[in-house]
Amino acid sequence: MSGTKILIIDDDPDLTLGLTIRLKANGYSVASAADAVMALTRVRQEQPDLIILDLGLPGGDGFTVLERLRANLSMASIPVIVLTARGQQLAESALQRGAVAFFQKPADNDELLSAISQQLAPRDAEGPG
Amino acid sequence: MLHQAEPSSGRVPLSPEGRLEGRGVGDDLIRVLIIDDDEDDFVLVRDLLMEEGAPPYAVEWVSTSQGAIDAIRARKHDVYLLDFRLGELNGLQVLDAVADTMDPKTPIIMLTGYGDRDVEMAALRAGAADYLPKPQMTAELLGRSIRHAIERGRLEYLEFRDQERLRLKDELLSRVSHELRTPVAAIHQFVSLVLDGIAGEVTEEQVRYLGVAMENIESLSRLINGLLDASRAAAGMLVAERHEVNLGSAVAEAKASMDALAGQKAISLLVDPTTVIDIYADPQGIQQVLVNLLDNAIKFTPAGGQIRVTAAIDGDQPRFARVCVADTGPGIAPEDQEVIFEALAQLPGQERSGRKGLGLGLHICRDIVVAHEGEIWVESEPGKGAAFWFTVPLYSLTDMLRGVAEKAMRLRSDIVLYSVHLLPRRADLLTYNRLVRRVRRLMERATLPDDVVVAGAQREGGPTSLHAVAAVGALDAPSVADRIHRLLAAQADTRACEDGYEVVASAEGATVGAEWIDETVQRLCDRIAVAPVRPQ
């Protein structure tokens, strides 16, 4: 699992730090981006196995990031989990645009971690591909 | 009286409120702007207005499309009579050019030299209040059309203003709760990092203290969520779409969404089987009431306890259903039984009774139930659990149709029945609710807005058809029915496939005489109940 990389896209530094520590403690390696403009560059650089995406970002809506990811061939297959302080009513549109899960802040850590491992499990089983 | 009034280039900064508020049929003077490039036609229309006479009209005239656009934007008149044929632009293009100022709606009536269905529909879709072919125009028809357009514009404006107010409040609360959630999420993460031993070993005492912090963080985040719900409930947003709801299914749905939570505390959540009861409610609103009551019961019921939901026709008020959520929790002291339904301000009182944490959930329940014309109360003895009761009106098509029939009789108006048939296998509840809203809106545009009954015919496996009934006010039923049908069909063209419904023309009109009320109601009921289902 130690080779598994997660990219956090969130503009709140405290939250990003806390989540980074949490994910590292669970054996993941972690990278982060703080705005929508940097997000795609970071995805390209880091080639993460999974992305945790906030919806309210400076420099562009999280939905835009989601759509750009989906439109890009090399990034389209990376699972995206939305983690946002915005309302639950956005869950449907996030899922429609290709997110695999939706969590409202503050999220239950166990639920978040289990959603992450669920997304990564089939990949591990299939091997690189 | 004849004077040509080309508006000056400087726009008059008149607010919509200045124009519309308090302005309705019955006020002294109706300011009319005739927009026509032909002076003979202007004279003809003006003379018709003079002939109609009451209420008095102040008539002005512009002859160019640019003059028309400027005048409509300036909103100095109560109603605009727009000729289809103008110089450089036609009437539709003028409507298009002022479309951005049409919300709230400016009453514009399109006049034309000839009857053309396509132009009529295009005009109505572009926001015209009415469409009159000049050859058939009489003083009476014109007067009625003007009064109708102004009155509807006024009602729409009031509705628009209310909606706008709700929207702003909702947006403010959305932002506030977003701003609150972000720091709460950071606190939550760091406390749990320490608590889970990720930052190093924690003593038992530290775990205990942090556990208390954690519980409070979680209750804070629930309160933040409740804030938005409370505002929506108070604003009436959870009673906005009332129609026929099966109470048994609503209870089952609420139970399903709370089963997991009850399971965590090993609480058994029981629902007594009920006979079929249909209530007249907003499905989302009623769901919120049930979920909040269950959530509250789970919160205060000790592990291994029991919660029981029952529903029946109210013995005291046979037009209401009565629902009970009974728990085996600690109960509520008599002096607190009133205040638990109050908002946050009442919290200290509840802490005395040992039921801390009762914040907005019950308050929201009360707002929604009261807005449904029901009642909510609690019966409890300390130590013996609590039973929360609420009542909600039964769905009675007959009563609602009677209301329409009586109104139609008073106004000497026609009744219109408009039916839409759904493709059985594709009509899920979401589609159905969207269609209910769409049909209701179209009906409200074509009739008087507070006077529309929308009913669904339910069959096994879900709704199969949808019927809207209304008194049509000044217009006659066939033309209203025709208009709604064309508007819906125009919208449905592009959406019929994805929405899984089909528009079948079955609009009909009826005129109600005083002695025919019972018969009319019965006939409408029959039509709705036995509406044919088209095979797919």
Side-chain angles (χ1 to χ4, degrees):
Chain A
M1 191 190 267
S2 57
T4 311
K5 188 183 278 178
I6 297 176
L7 177 69
I8 303 169
I9 305 173
D10 196 315
D11 64 322
D12 188 281
D14 291 349
L15 217 77
T16 304
L17 176 61
L19 192 55
T20 302
I21 297 168
R22 166 73 59 181
L23 292 173
K24 281 187 174 162
N26 279 271
Y28 297 105
S29 66
V30 183
S32 65
D35 64 58
V37 186
M38 275 305 290
L40 290 202
T41 313
R42 296 291 284 159
V43 175
R44 213 166 284 126
Q45 286 170 350
E46 301 287 342
Q47 304 199 337
D49 300 282
L50 184 142
I51 295 168
I52 294 176
L53 175 67
D54 185 19
L55 289 181
L57 290 171
D61 197 72
F63 282 124
T64 322
V65 176
L66 200 49
E67 272 162 11
R68 292 222 188 105
L69 285 171
R70 287 291 157 263
N72 186 309
L73 265 185
S74 63
M75 304 175 185
S77 61
I78 307 171
V80 177
I81 292 177
V82 168
L83 174 64
T84 180
R86 294 216 210 152
Q88 196 68 37
Q89 71 273 15
L90 294 176
E92 198 182 321
S93 34
L95 297 178
Q96 265 170 11
R97 288 177 214 209
V100 294
F102 182 97
F103 287 92
Q104 196 175 39
K105 293 175 186 173
D108 183 280
N109 283 308
D110 293 340
E111 284 176 27
L112 182 62
L113 287 167
S114 98
I116 291 172
S117 63
Q118 211 171 46
Q119 285 307 317
L120 295 171
R123 291 188 147 210
D124 293 348
E126 283 163 19
Chain B
M1 197 73 195
L2 191 152
H3 54 284
Q4 182 162 346
E6 288 287 359
S8 60
S9 57
R11 283 179 193 155
V12 182
L14 202 67
S15 72
E17 279 170 63
R19 180 180 63 89
L20 275 167
E21 199 153 40
R23 152 62 77 184
V25 176
D27 286 7
D28 297 318
L29 196 65
I30 295 182
R31 290 160 296 177
V32 183
L33 183 69
I34 298 174
I35 302 157
D36 205 315
D37 62 343
D38 183 330
E39 186 164 358
D40 291 340
D41 277 4
F42 155 63
V43 171
L44 174 105
V45 175
R46 186 202 57 187
D47 288 351
L48 281 178
L49 285 173
M50 293 304 118
E51 183 190 330
E52 221 268 328
Y57 298 99
V59 181
E60 291 183 305
W61 172 41
V62 295
S63 59
T64 64
S65 45
Q66 192 52 50
I69 291 168
D70 291 343
I72 293 170
R73 284 187 177 282
R75 290 171 174 263
K76 281 193 293 188
H77 305 85
D78 299 311
V79 64
Y80 298 87
L81 304 180
L82 172 65
D83 187 34
F84 180 66
R85 296 242 152 149
L86 285 169
E88 53 278 34
L89 299 178
N90 69 31
L92 288 178
Q93 287 165 317
V94 170
L95 280 176
D96 222 38
V98 298
D100 57 321
T101 66
M102 293 284 281
D103 212 1
K105 211 167 202 163
T106 309
I108 299 177
I109 297 169
M110 179 87 93
L111 307 181
T112 160
Y114 46 89
D116 181 333
R117 286 282 190 198
D118 292 339
V119 174
E120 176 178 352
M121 291 323 295
L124 294 175
R125 271 205 293 279
D130 204 354
Y131 173 95
L132 297 173
K134 283 185 208 165
Q136 293 145 37
M137 202 160 64
T138 62
E140 193 199 346
L141 196 64
L142 184 59
R144 203 164 66 172
S145 179
I146 287 175
R147 286 194 299 277
H148 198 68
I150 291 175
E151 179 63 7
R152 216 163 64 210
R154 192 180 67 88
L155 292 172
E156 269 179 30
Y157 168 68
L158 294 176
E159 167 89 15
F160 170 84
R161 202 188 51 184
D162 287 352
Q163 289 297 328
E164 194 57 17
R165 215 174 272 165
L166 290 188
R167 199 187 59 73
L168 285 174
K169 193 172 167 192
D170 210 44
E171 195 181 302
L172 178 73
L173 271 156
S174 287
R175 278 194 200 173
V176 168
S177 52
H178 175 264
E179 294 303 310
L180 291 173
R181 259 188 220 123
T182 303
V184 168
I187 298 168
H188 179 270
Q189 186 60 268
F190 281 95
V191 170
S192 69
L193 282 174
V194 179
L195 189 59
D196 295 349
I198 290 169
E201 214 170 308
V202 244
T203 67
E204 228 174 86
E205 194 176 11
Q206 285 166 345
V207 166
R208 218 166 50 236
Y209 295 170
L210 289 172
V212 176
M214 207 58 191
E215 272 171 32
N216 282 280
I217 291 163
E218 273 159 16
S219 88
L220 180 57
S221 96
R222 272 197 304 274
L223 283 176
I224 294 169
N225 288 339
L227 212 59
L228 202 57
D229 288 340
S231 125
R232 292 195 170 145
M237 286 170 79
L238 293 171
V239 281
E241 297 290 343
R242 287 177 80 176
H243 50 88
E244 185 182 11
V245 174
N246 182 284
L247 186 54
S249 317
V251 170
E253 196 183 327
K255 176 185 173 335
S257 68
M258 301 306 280
D259 267 338
L261 198 62
Q264 282 172 17
K265 286 177 77 177
I267 293 170
S268 48
L269 193 49
L270 308 171
V271 172
D272 281 2
T274 50
T275 48
V276 178
I277 299 175
D278 288 327
I279 54 173
Y280 184 53
D282 181 302
Q284 246 188 304
I286 212 69
Q287 201 51 228
Q288 177 111 47
V289 172
L290 289 165
V291 165
N292 285 7
L293 288 179
L294 286 175
D295 185 56
N296 182 62
I298 291 168
K299 208 180 292 173
F300 296 106
T301 300
Q306 192 189 73
I307 296 165
R308 182 179 288 272
V309 185
T310 51
I313 307 279
D314 191 329
D316 302 331
Q317 308 173 85
R319 282 168 184 239
F320 284 79
R322 198 149 91 159
V323 182
C324 178
V325 177
D327 63 50
T328 55
I332 302 161
E335 66 269 24
D336 288 334
Q337 290 181 9
E338 286 292 320
V339 297
I340 54 170
F341 294 105
E342 301 298 330
L344 282 172
Q346 300 298 326
L347 270 173
Q350 291 151 35
E351 274 168 13
R352 270 204 320 273
S353 70
R355 293 180 70 103
K356 69 167 184 158
L358 272 180
L360 292 163
L362 293 175
H363 179 63
I364 293 167
C365 287
R366 189 183 63 178
D367 274 345
I368 298 172
V369 168
V370 168
H372 277 83
E373 296 136 39
E375 290 174 90
I376 188 165
W377 70 97
V378 62
E379 290 169 4
S380 174
E381 272 180 60
K384 292 185 180 170
F388 284 85
W389 294 87
F390 72 92
T391 61
V392 55
L394 293 177
Y395 177 83
S396 166
L397 188 57
T398 320
D399 287 348
M400 287 187 285
L401 291 176
R402 180 172 297 278
V404 175
E406 282 170 0
K407 180 163 193 166
M409 190 198 71
R410 276 199 309 279
L411 300 174
R412 279 195 256 154
S413 144
D414 279 5
I415 290 177
V416 63
L417 164 66
Y418 188 76
S419 304
V420 179
H421 299 283
L422 286 78
L423 297 177
R425 260 175 289 161
R426 310 244 317 263
D428 55 64
L429 206 60
L430 211 70
T431 301
Y432 180 74
N433 287 338
R434 204 180 318 146
L435 186 61
V436 166
R437 273 197 294 279
R438 197 172 295 162
V439 169
R440 182 182 289 279
R441 211 163 295 137
L442 291 176
M443 279 294 262
E444 284 172 352
R445 274 175 61 183
T447 63
L448 289 178
D450 59 347
D451 181 40
V452 176
V453 173
V454 179
Q458 307 267 349
R459 297 282 155 85
E460 211 169 313
T464 56
S465 57
L466 174 69
H467 307 269
V469 182
V472 293
L475 304 172
D476 63 306
S479 71
V480 168
D482 194 46
R483 187 171 292 178
I484 295 166
H485 183 63
R486 281 155 175 277
L487 286 170
L488 187 65
Q491 291 186 352
D493 275 345
T494 50
R495 294 179 175 160
C497 291
E498 51 167 309
D499 281 1
Y501 67 85
E502 179 182 11
V503 178
V504 177
S506 68
E508 60 177 64
T511 309
V512 190
E515 65 279 28
W516 300 115
I517 284 203
D518 285 337
E519 198 166 306
T520 305
V521 170
Q522 188 55 51
R523 195 155 45 88
L524 286 168
C525 274
D526 292 346
R527 288 282 299 133
I528 289 171
V530 302
V533 179
R534 295 245 308 217
Q536 198 167 3

